[in-house]
Amino acid sequence: MVQNRNIEFYEWELSDPTKRLLRQKWNELYLVQETHIQNQKKLEQEWETSLTSVRDEKSTLPISGFGYFTNISDPDSPIPNLFSFSKEEKDILERSILEWKEVNHSNQLTTEGESLPKTDSPYRLIHSIQTDTERLTVAEKRSFVRMFLLDPVLLYEPAFLRLDGSAFHLSEPEIKIWKGYLTRLVQDLRSCVLDNGCNDWEEMTLLLRILYTNKSIAEKTIIFPKKNLDGFQYFPSIDLPDSVFSTKQKEYELLFQSKKKIFVSGYHSIQFFNWESFLIRYQGFLESGSAPEGIEFNWVGQNPYKKQFENRDRLEETEIQKKQKNFESYTKGIQNLYSYHLTHQNCTSELFRYMNEMFPEGRIGNETIWNPLSSGMMSFNFIPAVAAWKLESNPGTKQKNIYPSYRNLKRKKITGYIEKHFKDGFVPTSKIYKPNPIDHPFLFFTEETIWNRPLLGLVNTVFGIGYTGVGIFSAPFDKGSRFSKGTESVFYSLPELVFFNIRKGHFPFIAAEEIPEEYYTKESL
């Protein structure tokens, strides 16, 4: 809706076994790609950490999750009463701490002699790399959780977000449910640390859930750990006008009630994940950032008990060069494997390439699911509109469902011919579209008609060139903002000269009450 794009669904009639195999094949592709991406991140972290050891003779490792804690002892912590460990259980935890310290002290490199996964095929299942940095991080996290349970430290309050206001207040019945959840969380973490049956991130996640649930109960409002909002953002961060921010704030409060109702419906890890995902998105709204995906809480910091651990030794230059080489070679491999080209290898052509390679001739067993579409450039299937047209007439397609873009839905309700076909297509006179910080400046929409697209595109191009020219002179004052916007305008206008339309316009300030009813219609697809 914000991107103002039409969505088209093409439904195939498939047997249940075919559906399962189709889903399995695509899940395997995702698993391979995600493993490659995570491996690359691990190798990058390993190299960056080794560079840190060059600057400092002894270096400590900042670790995700430790940023929620200080290194100051907390004698009033609720943890001892919540867990009530017996002497035998405390002995088990202390022995476990010593064992994990031994892992941390070990100088054996886990990557020694381990070959990097091959990057020549997107279909081959690969192993997950375990780097020396990752191994030490796991050891520190496992030790930290057990040490915190035995000797708690104060929390770092700025790393937690408190939601004030009547909309976020917890009622007595809700507090009773929260307390029940807290008891279950404590039981789960007890099992983890006493049996060593959980991963490091599972233990940290359970601990933080216990802490923020307990704080929420004590203060009768919602408190949760913040996340670092430094991930990829498709849209740039923009400052919402006060009226829009106020409207969105009210919408989030209504949505909050809906999400809270679902959360209190039953204790389950999925319920916690969905609840935390919503709260992190709300944090992103408040702080104009992009909410990261995943369960792990990622506020980075130093180990509060770092005096208990030996610092990492400085690495030799040859070892650092080896880590750099591993990262660069692996990165190059997956860049080649998942490269992007506008015409040869874009998201549309890759979709057909994978389908054709996994299911030659469009068959799964004895069942024909479709007539394969070429992924070659000369087929023009790399153009989404062309691919959609061919899919519509494909024998495999049994039904088509179209969800028009926000602007197209609004245009359908305009009855006046001049207003619909002239005034609304001209940005200064449009009543539907409003200029916004995401979009570059332009004069005409060219999506709805094709015959006059080159003419309107020419006007948009000339306007963009003029705007760029003005930006040259204003650059010392606006840091090149107008120049940059002008070049974007020209870039998106040039395809219109040859009948292609890329620019749709964005609608980042839409309020819930403005959304057409069609968007709320649920159809069985």
Side-chain angles (χ1 to χ4, degrees):
M1 186 170 56
V2 172
Q3 297 182 50
N4 192 40
R5 303 274 171 170
N6 294 335
I7 299 177
E8 300 182 9
F9 289 98
Y10 299 89
E11 183 178 354
W12 296 350
E13 290 183 4
L14 306 175
S15 65
D16 288 339
T18 296
K19 288 180 183 178
R20 286 195 293 269
L21 184 58
L22 193 64
R23 184 180 295 111
Q24 175 189 333
K25 290 295 185 180
W26 281 101
N27 283 341
E28 288 175 357
L29 279 175
Y30 170 79
L31 178 62
V32 173
Q33 186 174 110
E34 183 64 17
T35 306
H36 275 310
I37 293 172
Q38 293 304 320
N39 282 343
Q40 187 217 18
K41 289 180 179 179
K42 292 176 183 179
L43 291 172
E44 182 179 22
Q45 183 188 35
E46 180 78 351
W47 175 42
E48 291 178 347
T49 304
S50 68
L51 293 177
T52 304
S53 72
V54 174
R55 293 190 293 268
D56 305 307
E57 187 67 29
K58 293 282 188 178
S59 62
T60 55
L61 185 64
I63 294 177
S64 178
F66 287 172
Y68 301 101
F69 305 90
T70 70
N71 59 1
I72 303 172
S73 181
D74 182 9
D76 300 319
S77 173
I79 290 298
N81 290 332
L82 286 174
F83 283 83
S84 300
F85 288 118
S86 65
K87 184 179 184 304
E88 291 76 11
E89 290 173 333
K90 290 181 180 180
D91 291 341
I92 292 174
L93 293 182
E94 289 174 352
R95 286 196 299 270
S96 181
I97 291 171
L98 291 175
E99 290 172 0
W100 286 112
K101 283 183 181 179
E102 287 301 317
V103 174
N104 188 283
H105 294 171
S106 174
N107 292 321
Q108 180 183 357
L109 294 176
T110 58
T111 52
E112 190 67 35
E114 181 181 16
S115 60
L116 299 179
K118 294 183 178 180
T119 55
D120 57 342
S121 170
Y123 304 104
R124 181 185 292 112
L125 294 175
I126 60 170
H127 67 274
S128 179
I129 297 173
Q130 185 185 36
T131 63
D132 189 48
T133 298
E134 181 187 21
R135 181 176 60 83
L136 296 178
T137 298
V138 169
E140 286 209 38
K141 281 187 176 182
R142 302 291 287 268
S143 299
F144 163 78
V145 171
R146 288 152 180 77
M147 295 179 74
F148 182 85
L149 295 178
L150 294 176
D151 183 20
V153 293
L154 289 171
L155 301 181
Y156 182 60
E157 294 300 333
F160 291 82
L161 184 62
R162 175 193 173 105
L163 303 183
D164 293 312
S166 58
F168 307 109
H169 178 74
L170 292 180
S171 64
E172 290 302 321
E174 289 170 339
I175 289 177
K176 185 177 180 180
I177 295 174
W178 251 255
K179 287 181 178 179
Y181 284 4
L182 181 61
T183 300
R184 296 285 298 276
L185 289 168
V186 170
Q187 291 173 352
D188 289 345
L189 185 54
R190 281 180 66 95
S191 298
C192 282
V193 296
L194 294 175
D195 299 335
N196 286 322
C198 302
N199 295 323
D200 59 297
W201 61 265
E202 290 177 300
E203 293 181 353
M204 286 291 295
T205 300
L206 283 170
L207 176 60
L208 284 163
R209 285 175 178 172
I210 289 170
L211 294 172
Y212 81 70
T213 301
N214 185 72
K215 286 172 70 68
S216 298
I217 293 171
E219 302 190 33
K220 297 183 178 182
T221 191
I222 299 300
I223 298 173
F224 67 98
K226 295 181 180 180
K227 284 192 177 183
N228 287 323
L229 305 180
D230 56 358
F232 170 78
Q233 284 186 259
Y234 178 83
F235 296 118
S237 297
I238 58 175
D239 294 327
L240 297 177
D242 291 341
S243 59
V244 175
F245 185 88
S246 177
T247 299
K248 293 297 179 185
Q249 179 82 24
K250 294 176 182 177
E251 291 176 4
Y252 262 108
E253 291 176 3
L254 292 174
L255 188 58
F256 173 83
Q257 298 302 325
S258 173
K259 296 294 184 181
K260 184 172 65 172
K261 185 177 180 180
I262 297 173
F263 176 62
V264 300
S265 64
Y267 177 86
H268 196 280
S269 58
I270 297 297
Q271 298 285 56
F272 269 93
F273 173 72
N274 292 335
W275 172 246
E276 290 159 357
S277 297
F278 165 71
L279 293 176
I280 295 303
R281 287 197 297 273
Y282 184 54
Q283 178 200 342
F285 160 71
L286 295 175
E287 300 180 4
S288 299
S290 177
E293 295 294 330
I295 295 178
E296 187 175 13
F297 295 101
N298 64 355
W299 206 273
V300 177
Q302 298 287 342
N303 190 338
Y305 305 97
K306 60 184 178 181
K307 291 183 179 180
Q308 305 290 329
F309 295 88
E310 289 185 359
N311 294 328
R312 300 194 68 185
D313 294 327
R314 181 173 179 175
L315 298 177
E316 298 294 333
E317 185 64 31
T318 54
E319 295 180 49
I320 297 174
Q321 291 176 357
K322 180 181 178 181
K323 296 179 187 299
Q324 180 181 0
K325 182 180 178 181
N326 284 342
F327 166 65
E328 291 177 346
S329 63
Y330 195 77
T331 298
K332 184 178 180 180
I334 62 173
Q335 283 177 340
N336 292 334
L337 187 60
Y338 303 115
S339 62
Y340 177 87
H341 190 280
L342 183 62
T343 59
H344 299 88
Q345 197 173 359
N346 69 2
C347 53
T348 308
S349 66
E350 286 292 89
L351 173 66
F352 299 136
R353 179 175 76 87
Y354 284 131
M355 282 293 292
N356 295 339
E357 292 179 358
M358 290 189 296
F359 308 106
E361 301 179 358
R363 298 177 63 85
I364 297 180
N366 296 324
E367 185 174 353
T368 300
I369 59 176
W370 73 317
N371 285 349
L373 296 182
S374 172
S375 59
M377 184 183 70
M378 298 309 297
S379 67
F380 293 102
N381 291 335
F382 66 88
I383 303 172
V386 174
W389 172 68
K390 292 184 179 181
L391 272 177
E392 184 176 4
S393 59
N394 194 288
T397 300
K398 305 303 180 184
Q399 183 177 342
K400 176 182 177 182
N401 294 277
I402 301 178
Y403 292 83
S405 67
Y406 174 79
R407 179 171 174 267
N408 285 336
L409 274 175
K410 287 287 190 179
R411 286 185 72 250
K412 285 183 178 180
K413 298 179 181 180
I414 300 177
T415 56
Y417 183 86
I418 293 179
E419 181 179 353
K420 182 175 183 178
H421 295 283
F422 291 97
K423 286 186 177 180
D424 183 69
F426 185 49
V427 171
T429 58
S430 175
K431 292 183 179 180
I432 300 175
Y433 175 78
K434 302 298 180 185
N436 58 84
I438 294 179
D439 283 332
H440 49 265
F442 63 102
L443 292 179
F444 290 100
F445 282 97
T446 64
E447 179 186 11
E448 47 266 27
T449 58
I450 297 178
W451 65 269
N452 63 349
R453 190 172 289 169
L455 178 61
L456 298 180
L458 178 61
V459 176
N460 283 335
T461 302
V462 173
F463 177 76
I465 293 173
Y467 200 91
T468 304
V470 174
I472 295 176
F473 295 100
S474 64
F477 309 100
D478 63 10
K479 298 181 180 180
S481 175
R482 283 187 178 83
F483 179 82
S484 177
K485 290 288 187 180
T487 56
E488 286 183 29
S489 182
V490 173
F491 175 81
Y492 282 94
S493 300
L494 289 176
E496 296 170 343
L497 300 178
V498 288
F499 295 97
F500 286 105
N501 169 261
I502 300 177
R503 174 172 39 223
K504 310 294 182 182
H506 291 84
F507 292 82
F509 300 148
I510 296 177
E513 61 183 14
E514 300 178 75
I515 299 174
E517 292 183 5
E518 292 87 338
Y519 276 112
Y520 294 106
T521 302
K522 294 184 178 180
E523 297 186 18
S524 178
L525 297 177

